[in-house]
Amino acid sequence: ALAVWGPNAPFRCTLRGYRKLSDDFKGSTVFTGFKKSWQGVRRIDTGYISPGVRGEYDVVTCRDDRTGEVQYFRYAYGGNGNNDMRGDPPPPPGKTN
């Protein structure tokens, strides 16, 4: 779940899912088809968002309806789906617990 604080005016946020490709298409990214949108004033609460799978990430685009200003946010869970949201976070790459 995300809590997005925005202007004291109407604004909207859209989340889109993307996947990094591998093998012959390494370096390319495609839209997974996952898309959700919310709108509100001052704060938006998204509710549950599926964590996806390894190699996927989400981009949240928020737009101020009054001024047209746009902000972009990118985030990704690790490669363990829902388990990434439980317990201790995984160690950084190259490190062990």
Side-chain angles (χ1 to χ4, degrees), residues 6-80:
N8 194 17
F11 74 107
R12 67 188 72 228
C13 292
T14 302
L15 180 143
R16 289 181 177 87
Y18 295 90
R19 175 177 294 142
K20 296 178 188 175
L21 299 178
S22 59
D23 298 329
D24 290 343
F25 301 100
K26 191 168 186 153
S28 297
T29 302
V30 295
F31 174 57
T32 64
F34 183 81
K35 178 181 174 184
K36 281 192 154 187
S37 296
W38 303 268
Q39 55 188 7
V41 174
R42 192 70 180 132
R43 179 177 168 163
I44 294 174
D45 292 300
T46 66
Y48 177 78
I49 298 172
S50 173
V53 299
R54 182 180 303 278
E56 289 185 351
Y57 64 92
D58 297 314
V59 174
V60 178
T61 305
C62 296
R63 177 182 300 274
D64 181 332
D65 289 343
R66 185 184 56 200
T67 65
E69 178 185 359
V70 178
Q71 298 278 327
Y72 298 92
F73 306 92
R74 176 182 163 165
Y75 74 96
Y77 293 106
N80 298 317

